[in-house]
Amino acid sequence: AASKLEISMPAVVEVEIGGTARIECNFYIPENASYTYIDWFYVDRSNRQVRLYHITASGILEDDTDYKGRLSLGEDKALSISSVTLQDARTFVCQVGAGSYGVGENSTELSVYKVPKTPEIEPNSGGISVRSNEVPEIARCWSRNSFPPPNITWHKNGEQLHPWENEVTMKSTLTRESSGLYTVSSVLYAPVTREDRDSRYRCTVHYWLRGQRHALDSREVKVNIFYSTEHLKMQVVSSSALVKEGDNVTLVCEADGNPPPVFSFFKKNLNEWQDLSSLAEPESGVLNLHDVNKSSSGTYRCQSLDLDDMTQKEEDVDLVVNYIEGVRVKMEPSSKLREGDDVKLSCDAHSPVALNYQWRDGTGRKLADGNQLFVKNLTFETSTTFSCKVVAPSVPGLEQSKQVSVTVEGKPRIVAISSPLYVRQDEVVNLTCKAIAFPRPTVQWSINGTAHEYMDNQHIASNLTVRVSHDLLQAGAMCRVSNTLGVSEKHIQLVDQKSTAESQGVIIVAIIVAILVVAVLGAVIYFLHKKGKIPCGRAGKQDITKPEARKDKIVVEVKSDKLSEEAGLLQGANGEKRPAADQ
C-alpha cells in the first residue's frame, strides 16, 4: 500500500469548441484519512496559477474569475467547464491538502479542437489545352473553420499526387479567421494529356483527433481538356438498313477532338466537289437529306477543322439510294378490243436490284404474279383497269405501280328488262330497260312517255313513265338499244291484272269441282260395299292391281260429265260392256 499522498489526473483532455470539458482529480490518502482541502487552478499566459475553487469539509468557495458561470463540480469533485472556447486551451491543476500527509498536486492539459468543414473544390473553369506551354492550374480546394489547422492532399483517379520535379505542385495557404479558427486552401498545378479528359480529381482535408488521424474528402470533379482531333468518322443514318427513294437520310460526322471542330460537307459531282455546308446544322456535324431519290446517290465528304491548331481531316462515305423507274405496261393487241377477244399485258421496269411483279384488278384483288398477264374472253364486265405492282423484295417498302385501262367494245347487250309487267288499264307505270355496251349506246322506246336515263356502274338504264292504254296492253313496248357497232331489242309484255284474276277464278272453280267428283265416287264405292255388290273378305278379296289374274275382276272408271259427257261405264274382265241393270 502507498505510504504517501498520491494524485492522478489525465495528461490531456480533448473537447470540441462549444462542448463541455470534464477534468477528473483522483487522489489517495494513506490510512483512509480525509482531505483538508481541494483547490482547482488554471495556468495563465504568465505561467501563474489562478485559483478557481477552494473546497473544504465546511463548504465550497468559487473564486471570481473569467470562468465564473461556466464552472461546476461533480460529486467526485471533478471540474466541468461548459461552452469551451479556444482560450480554454490551457493547463488545469488540482491541489489536495491532507494534513500531516502534506500537500500534493497534478495537472491536465485541456486541448480544444474544431472539426474542419467538408472541403470544397472548384475545377479550372476555362478548360486546359494539352498544348499549354505552362503547367496549368487544375483545381482549387479549401476548408473552413478548423482548429488546430489541418492539411490538404490531392488525388487523381483515387491515387494521391505528390510534388514532382516542378511538374506537379500544390500551393497551400493557411488563414486564421477573427474567430480564431483556421481556413486552409490549396491549388493543384499539373500537366494534362488527352487521356485526362476522363480523369477525376478530389482533395482531402486531414486532421488529428484523440490521437488519431481523420480525413474528409471533397466531391470529384473533371477538368475540360482541349485536344485536337485524331479520328474522324462519317456514317449514314436511315430508318432502314437499305436506303430507298423517298427516305429521309442523315449524314453524321463525328470527331474525337475537344472542343468539336468545325465541320463542312461536300458531294462529289463528276470531278468536282459541291459544298453542302449551308444545308447542314451549324456546328453539329449533321447533314439531313430529305426525300432522297436516284440523284442523291454518290460520294459525300466530311471535313473537320480544329481551330486550336488549324489541322484538317477528311472522311468519305458512299450513299446508295435504291429506286424503281421507268415502269410501263404494254398491251397486245394494242388495237381496239371486242367482246370475246383475248389480251396480253406485259409490265417492265428498271432498278439496280431484282424486281417482282404482281397484277391486280380495279378493286385491288390480286390476279397473278409475273410480268405478264393473260386475260381471255373479254366482256363488258371485265375489269377496265389493271394495275402492275413492281416490288423490290430486298429493299422493304420499295415499290411502284402502273395502271392500264382495257376498253372492250361491242354492240349493246340488254341485261335486264321489266317483262312481263302486271298492270291495270289507265294506271301510270315505269318500264325499265338496262343494257351494257361501249361506245355508250342510246336507248329508244317504241312508245311515247317520259324517259329518264342514268349510268349504273358500266350499265346504262332507262326508265320510261307511261299511262297504260288498251293499245299498250295489246301491243306491249319495245326497248331498242344501239351504238355504232349494232342494235339490240327486247319486247316488254304488259299483262292486265283483271284478266289474270278471272283466269285464276276459273282454275279455282275447276279444282273445287274435281274435289267434289272424287268425294261422290268415294261415296258410291262405300254404298256398293255395304250392299254386298263388292265382296270383301279372306275368300272374296279382289286384286285390283293385276287385271289378268281373275276373269271376274271389276275395274271402275268414272269420268266427269263435263269432260266426257258419260255417266259411267262398267267393264268386265274381258273388256265387254255390260247393261246398266248389271250395275
Side-chain angles (χ1 to χ4, degrees):
S3 59
K4 62 178 182 179
L5 175 63
E6 292 183 357
I7 299 174
S8 63
M9 293 178 68
V12 179
V13 170
E14 291 183 313
V15 62
E16 187 171 9
I17 292 176
T20 298
R22 188 175 188 274
I23 305 174
E24 296 180 351
C25 179
N26 298 311
F27 55 87
Y28 171 76
I29 302 175
E31 298 181 359
N32 291 326
S34 297
Y35 64 87
T36 305
Y37 69 89
I38 300 174
D39 287 344
W40 280 99
F41 302 89
Y42 74 86
V43 180
D44 65 9
R45 294 181 179 179
S46 302
N47 205 27
R48 182 175 61 88
Q49 289 187 355
V50 179
R51 194 176 74 176
L52 297 172
Y53 275 113
H54 178 67
I55 307 165
T56 63
S58 60
I60 299 174
L61 174 64
E62 182 180 359
D63 293 89
D64 188 12
T65 64
D66 293 339
Y67 281 98
K68 196 164 188 177
R70 293 197 293 135
L71 299 178
S72 63
L73 287 173
E75 292 182 0
D76 58 353
K77 304 304 182 289
L79 177 66
S80 293
I81 307 170
S82 62
S83 303
V84 172
T85 65
L86 283 175
Q87 289 71 28
D88 294 332
R90 50 177 45 133
T91 301
F92 290 83
V93 179
C94 174
Q95 187 181 84
V96 178
S100 61
Y101 291 100
V103 177
E105 68 178 29
N106 207 339
S107 64
T108 294
E109 187 73 25
L110 181 60
S111 177
V112 178
Y113 68 90
K114 179 67 175 177
V115 175
K117 296 286 187 181
T118 300
E120 299 179 45
I121 188 172
E122 188 67 35
N124 188 321
S125 59
I128 304 171
S129 173
V130 298
R131 296 166 51 85
S132 176
N133 295 324
E134 298 179 355
V135 178
E137 176 186 316
I138 302 298
R140 292 175 175 266
C141 175
W142 64 92
S143 177
R144 305 179 188 277
N145 300 333
S146 61
F147 187 89
N151 66 307
I152 293 178
T153 58
W154 286 94
H155 302 263
K156 173 183 174 182
N157 297 327
E159 295 185 2
Q160 185 174 344
L161 295 174
H162 300 280
W164 179 69
E165 296 182 358
N166 294 326
E167 292 287 328
V168 179
T169 59
M170 300 96 167
K171 294 183 178 181
S172 297
T173 303
L174 183 65
T175 304
R176 185 164 186 173
E177 308 293 345
S178 59
S179 62
L181 302 178
Y182 291 96
T183 294
V184 62
S185 62
S186 179
V187 181
L188 173 65
Y189 297 88
V192 294
T193 64
R194 65 184 297 119
E195 286 72 25
D196 288 323
R197 63 185 180 274
D198 297 319
S199 295
R200 296 181 177 274
Y201 298 86
R202 65 175 171 84
C203 61
T204 302
V205 173
H206 301 273
Y207 61 95
W208 289 89
L209 178 61
R210 295 185 178 92
Q212 294 183 341
R213 192 181 186 190
H214 296 265
L216 289 173
D217 292 330
S218 72
R219 64 187 177 92
E220 289 189 328
V221 296
K222 293 177 66 176
V223 179
N224 191 14
I225 307 296
F226 298 148
Y227 45 88
S228 59
T229 297
E230 287 186 351
H231 302 96
L232 186 66
K233 182 174 70 173
M234 187 180 184
Q235 59 182 338
V236 178
V237 179
S238 175
S239 58
S240 56
L242 296 176
V243 180
K244 64 181 181 299
E245 54 186 353
D247 282 352
N248 295 327
V249 176
T250 302
L251 301 181
V252 180
C253 196
E254 296 176 338
D256 60 356
N258 186 45
V262 177
F263 295 103
S264 300
F265 287 93
F266 303 89
K267 183 178 186 293
K268 190 173 185 179
N269 289 330
L270 298 177
N271 295 323
E272 297 181 354
W273 289 93
Q274 177 187 359
D275 192 350
L276 303 178
S277 301
S278 60
L279 305 178
E281 298 179 11
E283 301 180 2
S284 68
V286 174
L287 175 63
N288 292 311
L289 304 177
H290 299 283
D291 195 20
V292 296
N293 52 35
K294 176 184 177 181
S295 63
S296 303
S297 296
T299 301
Y300 290 80
R301 170 170 292 177
C302 170
Q303 188 178 85
S304 67
L305 173 64
D306 280 299
L307 299 180
D308 186 30
D309 56 5
M310 302 305 291
T311 57
Q312 286 186 346
K313 290 190 178 296
E314 295 176 347
E315 184 71 15
D316 294 346
V317 69
D318 290 326
L319 174 63
V320 177
V321 179
N322 294 285
Y323 61 90
I324 297 175
E325 67 177 3
V327 180
R328 60 189 182 92
V329 177
K330 180 182 179 182
M331 183 171 63
E332 296 178 302
S334 58
S335 57
K336 296 180 180 179
L337 300 171
R338 299 292 179 92
E339 275 201 302
D341 287 351
D342 300 337
V343 68
K344 182 178 78 171
L345 303 177
S346 301
C347 187
D348 190 22
H350 175 68
S351 175
V353 294
L355 299 177
N356 289 344
Y357 298 85
Q358 294 179 358
W359 292 95
R360 298 180 182 271
D361 62 13
T363 64
R365 180 172 60 93
K366 182 179 176 181
L367 300 176
D369 290 319
N371 68 331
Q372 290 186 341
L373 176 67
F374 294 90
V375 185
K376 296 182 178 297
N377 193 21
L378 293 172
T379 65
F380 293 128
E381 288 80 10
T382 303
S383 177
T384 58
T385 302
F386 294 90
S387 174
C388 172
K389 183 178 181 182
V390 186
V391 179
S394 62
V395 185
L398 180 58
E399 58 183 48
Q400 282 195 19
S401 296
K402 183 76 172 181
Q403 287 188 341
V404 61
S405 295
V406 176
T407 302
V408 179
E409 295 186 350
K411 75 173 188 177
R413 175 159 41 88
I414 297 176
V415 297
I417 196 165
S418 54
S419 178
L421 183 64
Y422 295 92
V423 298
R424 295 181 183 274
Q425 190 168 337
D426 293 331
E427 76 171 332
V428 177
V429 296
N430 285 326
L431 307 182
T432 302
C433 183
K434 182 184 289 188
I436 187 170
F438 188 85
R440 178 174 173 171
T442 58
V443 181
Q444 295 175 322
W445 293 91
S446 60
I447 58 175
N448 293 328
T450 302
H452 170 65
E453 284 188 9
Y454 62 92
M455 291 300 296
D456 180 11
N457 199 2
Q458 303 179 50
H459 299 82
I460 184 170
S462 177
N463 286 341
L464 182 68
T465 304
V466 296
R467 183 178 296 277
V468 179
S469 64
H470 177 74
D471 293 340
L472 182 58
L473 276 173
Q474 295 297 318
M478 184 69 71
C479 172
R480 187 176 188 273
V481 185
S482 62
N483 64 6
T484 56
L485 301 178
V487 177
S488 290
E489 292 182 341
K490 278 197 176 181
H491 180 262
I492 297 179
Q493 177 186 3
L494 278 70
V495 180
D496 192 344
Q497 287 185 344
K498 181 178 178 181
S499 301
T500 302
E502 291 177 354
S503 300
Q504 290 175 347
V506 172
I507 294 172
I508 293 172
V509 170
I511 292 173
I512 294 173
V513 170
I515 292 172
L516 291 176
V517 170
V518 172
V520 171
L521 177 59
V524 170
I525 295 173
Y526 178 76
F527 174 76
L528 293 176
H529 171 67
K530 287 296 184 179
K531 292 296 185 177
K533 298 294 185 177
I534 301 178
C536 186
R538 193 173 294 270
K541 282 187 177 179
Q542 305 295 318
D543 189 350
I544 63 173
T545 62
K546 297 180 181 179
E548 300 293 331
R550 298 272 310 264
K551 190 173 183 179
D552 58 348
K553 179 181 176 186
I554 299 174
V555 176
V556 180
E557 182 180 349
V558 179
K559 296 183 181 179
S560 171
D561 291 338
K562 293 184 178 180
L563 299 176
S564 62
E565 296 182 356
E566 294 181 2
L569 180 63
L570 293 177
Q571 293 181 347
N574 56 4
E576 295 178 354
K577 293 184 180 180
R578 291 191 175 185
D582 292 340
Q583 299 181 27

